[in-house]
mmCIF file with all atom_site columns, all heavy atoms in Angstrom:
data_model
loop_
_atom_site.group_PDB
_atom_site.id
_atom_site.type_symbol
_atom_site.label_atom_id
_atom_site.label_alt_id
_atom_site.label_comp_id
_atom_site.label_asym_id
_atom_site.label_entity_id
_atom_site.label_seq_id
_atom_site.pdbx_PDB_ins_code
_atom_site.Cartn_x
_atom_site.Cartn_y
_atom_site.Cartn_z
_atom_site.occupancy
_atom_site.B_iso_or_equiv
_atom_site.pdbx_formal_charge
_atom_site.auth_seq_id
_atom_site.auth_comp_id
_atom_site.auth_asym_id
_atom_site.auth_atom_id
_atom_site.pdbx_PDB_model_num
ATOM 1  N N   . ALA A 1 73  ? -16.747 -23.144 -7.792  1.00 88.00 ? 354 ALA A N   1
ATOM 2  C CA  . ALA A 1 73  ? -16.562 -24.490 -8.204  1.00 88.00 ? 354 ALA A CA  1
ATOM 3  C C   . ALA A 1 73  ? -16.159 -25.429 -7.130  1.00 88.00 ? 354 ALA A C   1
ATOM 4  O O   . ALA A 1 73  ? -16.150 -26.677 -7.257  1.00 88.00 ? 354 ALA A O   1
ATOM 5  C CB  . ALA A 1 73  ? -15.581 -24.606 -9.418  1.00 88.00 ? 354 ALA A CB  1
ATOM 6  N N   . HIS A 1 88  ? -24.475 -14.093 -9.819  1.00 95.00 ? 369 HIS A N   1
ATOM 7  C CA  . HIS A 1 88  ? -25.776 -13.793 -10.400 1.00 95.00 ? 369 HIS A CA  1
ATOM 8  C C   . HIS A 1 88  ? -26.254 -12.299 -10.089 1.00 95.00 ? 369 HIS A C   1
ATOM 9  O O   . HIS A 1 88  ? -27.387 -12.014 -10.432 1.00 95.00 ? 369 HIS A O   1
ATOM 10 C CB  . HIS A 1 88  ? -26.893 -14.825 -9.832  1.00 95.00 ? 369 HIS A CB  1
ATOM 11 C CG  . HIS A 1 88  ? -26.593 -16.158 -10.266 1.00 95.00 ? 369 HIS A CG  1
ATOM 12 N ND1 . HIS A 1 88  ? -26.935 -16.648 -11.492 1.00 95.00 ? 369 HIS A ND1 1
ATOM 13 C CD2 . HIS A 1 88  ? -26.046 -17.193 -9.682  1.00 95.00 ? 369 HIS A CD2 1
ATOM 14 C CE1 . HIS A 1 88  ? -26.572 -17.905 -11.589 1.00 95.00 ? 369 HIS A CE1 1
ATOM 15 N NE2 . HIS A 1 88  ? -26.023 -18.196 -10.504 1.00 95.00 ? 369 HIS A NE2 1
ATOM 16 N N   . GLY A 1 203 ? -38.216 -19.704 1.438   1.00 96.00 ? 484 GLY A N   1
ATOM 17 C CA  . GLY A 1 203 ? -39.640 -19.858 2.051   1.00 96.00 ? 484 GLY A CA  1
ATOM 18 C C   . GLY A 1 203 ? -40.469 -18.754 1.654   1.00 96.00 ? 484 GLY A C   1
ATOM 19 O O   . GLY A 1 203 ? -41.615 -18.945 1.265   1.00 96.00 ? 484 GLY A O   1
ATOM 20 N N   . PRO A 1 212 ? -49.482 -14.619 -4.395  1.00 95.00 ? 493 PRO A N   1
ATOM 21 C CA  . PRO A 1 212 ? -48.884 -13.380 -4.763  1.00 95.00 ? 493 PRO A CA  1
ATOM 22 C C   . PRO A 1 212 ? -49.526 -12.156 -4.012  1.00 95.00 ? 493 PRO A C   1
ATOM 23 O O   . PRO A 1 212 ? -50.749 -12.142 -3.807  1.00 95.00 ? 493 PRO A O   1
ATOM 24 C CB  . PRO A 1 212 ? -49.009 -13.203 -6.242  1.00 95.00 ? 493 PRO A CB  1
ATOM 25 C CG  . PRO A 1 212 ? -49.483 -14.504 -6.697  1.00 95.00 ? 493 PRO A CG  1
ATOM 26 C CD  . PRO A 1 212 ? -50.110 -15.285 -5.608  1.00 95.00 ? 493 PRO A CD  1
ATOM 27 N N   . ILE A 1 254 ? -28.139 9.722   5.332   1.00 98.00 ? 535 ILE A N   1
ATOM 28 C CA  . ILE A 1 254 ? -28.808 10.390  6.403   1.00 98.00 ? 535 ILE A CA  1
ATOM 29 C C   . ILE A 1 254 ? -27.825 10.885  7.483   1.00 98.00 ? 535 ILE A C   1
ATOM 30 O O   . ILE A 1 254 ? -27.834 12.083  7.869   1.00 98.00 ? 535 ILE A O   1
ATOM 31 C CB  . ILE A 1 254 ? -29.955 9.545   7.076   1.00 98.00 ? 535 ILE A CB  1
ATOM 32 C CG1 . ILE A 1 254 ? -30.966 9.272   6.048   1.00 98.00 ? 535 ILE A CG1 1
ATOM 33 C CG2 . ILE A 1 254 ? -30.505 10.194  8.355   1.00 98.00 ? 535 ILE A CG2 1
ATOM 34 C CD1 . ILE A 1 254 ? -31.971 8.088   6.454   1.00 98.00 ? 535 ILE A CD1 1
ATOM 35 N N   . VAL A 1 317 ? -9.354  -0.839  -12.045 1.00 96.00 ? 598 VAL A N   1
ATOM 36 C CA  . VAL A 1 317 ? -9.517  0.600   -11.994 1.00 96.00 ? 598 VAL A CA  1
ATOM 37 C C   . VAL A 1 317 ? -10.533 0.974   -10.934 1.00 96.00 ? 598 VAL A C   1
ATOM 38 O O   . VAL A 1 317 ? -11.599 0.489   -10.939 1.00 96.00 ? 598 VAL A O   1
ATOM 39 C CB  . VAL A 1 317 ? -9.826  1.162   -13.387 1.00 96.00 ? 598 VAL A CB  1
ATOM 40 C CG1 . VAL A 1 317 ? -10.168 2.587   -13.318 1.00 96.00 ? 598 VAL A CG1 1
ATOM 41 C CG2 . VAL A 1 317 ? -8.807  0.836   -14.435 1.00 96.00 ? 598 VAL A CG2 1
ATOM 42 N N   . ALA A 1 324 ? -14.135 12.676  -7.533  1.00 98.00 ? 605 ALA A N   1
ATOM 43 C CA  . ALA A 1 324 ? -14.789 13.387  -8.639  1.00 98.00 ? 605 ALA A CA  1
ATOM 44 C C   . ALA A 1 324 ? -15.842 14.405  -8.213  1.00 98.00 ? 605 ALA A C   1
ATOM 45 O O   . ALA A 1 324 ? -15.995 15.446  -8.805  1.00 98.00 ? 605 ALA A O   1
ATOM 46 C CB  . ALA A 1 324 ? -15.548 12.299  -9.424  1.00 98.00 ? 605 ALA A CB  1
ATOM 47 N N   . LEU A 1 337 ? -19.846 23.663  1.411   1.00 98.00 ? 618 LEU A N   1
ATOM 48 C CA  . LEU A 1 337 ? -21.229 23.242  1.337   1.00 98.00 ? 618 LEU A CA  1
ATOM 49 C C   . LEU A 1 337 ? -22.201 24.346  0.978   1.00 98.00 ? 618 LEU A C   1
ATOM 50 O O   . LEU A 1 337 ? -22.205 25.328  1.782   1.00 98.00 ? 618 LEU A O   1
ATOM 51 C CB  . LEU A 1 337 ? -21.621 22.600  2.700   1.00 98.00 ? 618 LEU A CB  1
ATOM 52 C CG  . LEU A 1 337 ? -23.038 21.919  2.831   1.00 98.00 ? 618 LEU A CG  1
ATOM 53 C CD1 . LEU A 1 337 ? -22.974 20.630  2.006   1.00 98.00 ? 618 LEU A CD1 1
ATOM 54 C CD2 . LEU A 1 337 ? -23.398 21.639  4.210   1.00 98.00 ? 618 LEU A CD2 1
ATOM 55 N N   . TRP A 1 389 ? -15.648 7.594   12.392  1.00 93.00 ? 670 TRP A N   1
ATOM 56 C CA  . TRP A 1 389 ? -16.078 7.075   11.086  1.00 93.00 ? 670 TRP A CA  1
ATOM 57 C C   . TRP A 1 389 ? -15.844 5.492   11.121  1.00 93.00 ? 670 TRP A C   1
ATOM 58 O O   . TRP A 1 389 ? -14.895 5.021   11.647  1.00 93.00 ? 670 TRP A O   1
ATOM 59 C CB  . TRP A 1 389 ? -15.283 7.660   10.018  1.00 93.00 ? 670 TRP A CB  1
ATOM 60 C CG  . TRP A 1 389 ? -15.556 9.073   9.813   1.00 93.00 ? 670 TRP A CG  1
ATOM 61 C CD1 . TRP A 1 389 ? -14.892 10.080  10.380  1.00 93.00 ? 670 TRP A CD1 1
ATOM 62 C CD2 . TRP A 1 389 ? -16.561 9.740   9.067   1.00 93.00 ? 670 TRP A CD2 1
ATOM 63 N NE1 . TRP A 1 389 ? -15.324 11.332  10.030  1.00 93.00 ? 670 TRP A NE1 1
ATOM 64 C CE2 . TRP A 1 389 ? -16.522 11.100  9.232   1.00 93.00 ? 670 TRP A CE2 1
ATOM 65 C CE3 . TRP A 1 389 ? -17.623 9.248   8.240   1.00 93.00 ? 670 TRP A CE3 1
ATOM 66 C CZ2 . TRP A 1 389 ? -17.355 12.003  8.627   1.00 93.00 ? 670 TRP A CZ2 1
ATOM 67 C CZ3 . TRP A 1 389 ? -18.406 10.157  7.606   1.00 93.00 ? 670 TRP A CZ3 1
ATOM 68 C CH2 . TRP A 1 389 ? -18.329 11.565  7.852   1.00 93.00 ? 670 TRP A CH2 1
#
Side-chain angles (χ1 to χ4, degrees):
H369 294 281
I535 297 169
V598 174
L618 182 73
W670 294 92

